[in-house]
Amino acid sequence: MKRRTATAALCAALLITATTTGAAVADGPHGGRHDGPPPREAAALTGTAKLYRSARDDITFTFDAHLAAEHGDDPLRATGTFEFSHYLNGEGARAEADVDCLLTGGDVAVVSGVITDSDLPGAEGRRVGVTVHDLGRHDRLGYSWAAVGSPAEGGELPRCVSSAPFEKVRKGTGDFHVVPWQPRL
């Protein structure tokens, strides 16, 4: 009888030790538990939508741009891609760019990137910028080539430069989402 009691006590002690050790490891400074929610990214621009044009142009923008929390003080460390296309009566072009800057403030974002893939002659290797105003269901958008007519034309564009968000998103075609920048101070 003593042997059974000793074995049960030993098992209970081992179980308590394992439970408290596991909890201590999980609660430790590098463990699995945190004192609050995980840090959010410093800034982001995501989503897809089509622009409104009375002539029924098919213009689509898609964003997947992010600035990680640990790079919150340097918008030039943003990563991701964005794509855009413009077609009318079966003619037009598309392009994809790698993000090289992301600045957001409130519900406005400016993203720039270098075109890595496009069927527009002369566009690859050119930097373009886009501005998004996240207004819920009535988002607006602007782009750096608004004044020059094509992403393949004009001089070298600096990072994080675009135009005012003068275009409207076509109702029911999607939505953009801006995460406001929170630089480390």
Side-chain angles (χ1 to χ4, degrees), residues 8-116:
L10 179 61
C11 288
L14 288 174
L15 183 60
I16 290 170
T17 301
T19 302
T20 57
T21 302
V25 169
D27 285 336
H30 304 292
R33 290 190 204 160
H34 302 283
D35 288 335
R40 75 165 181 82
E41 55 194 339
L45 171 59
T46 56
T48 298
K50 293 181 179 290
L51 299 186
Y52 171 79
R53 288 283 177 88
S54 60
R56 292 301 208 204
D57 298 43
D58 183 6
I59 306 171
T60 305
F61 282 82
T62 300
F63 300 97
D64 187 22
H66 304 272
L67 181 60
E70 63 266 22
H71 303 303
D73 58 348
D74 187 0
L76 302 181
R77 303 271 312 257
T79 61
T81 59
F82 60 95
E83 300 175 37
F84 53 95
S85 62
H86 184 167
Y87 294 98
L88 179 62
N89 299 324
E91 296 196 20
R94 54 153 294 282
E96 181 175 331
D98 282 344
V99 171
D100 64 8
C101 185
L102 174 65
L103 283 171
T104 64
D107 51 6
V108 176
V110 177
V111 64
S112 64
V114 176
I115 296 175
T116 58

Side-chain angles (χ1 to χ4, degrees), residues 104-181:
T104 64
D107 51 6
V108 176
V110 177
V111 64
S112 64
V114 176
I115 296 175
T116 58
D117 185 34
S118 179
D119 53 7
L120 178 64
E124 286 186 33
R126 303 295 298 259
R127 180 176 289 115
V128 293
V130 183
T131 305
V132 170
H133 192 180
D134 179 4
L135 296 168
R137 297 181 196 189
H138 306 287
D139 295 344
R140 298 182 69 91
L141 186 138
Y143 35 85
S144 60
W145 59 95
V148 296
S150 168
E153 298 173 5
E156 181 64 22
L157 184 74
R159 292 179 179 190
C160 272
V161 172
S162 186
S163 72
F166 63 95
E167 298 265 18
K168 295 178 182 178
V169 167
R170 188 182 324 158
K171 185 177 180 178
T173 65
D175 189 26
F176 302 125
H177 180 69
V178 173
V179 174
W181 187 30

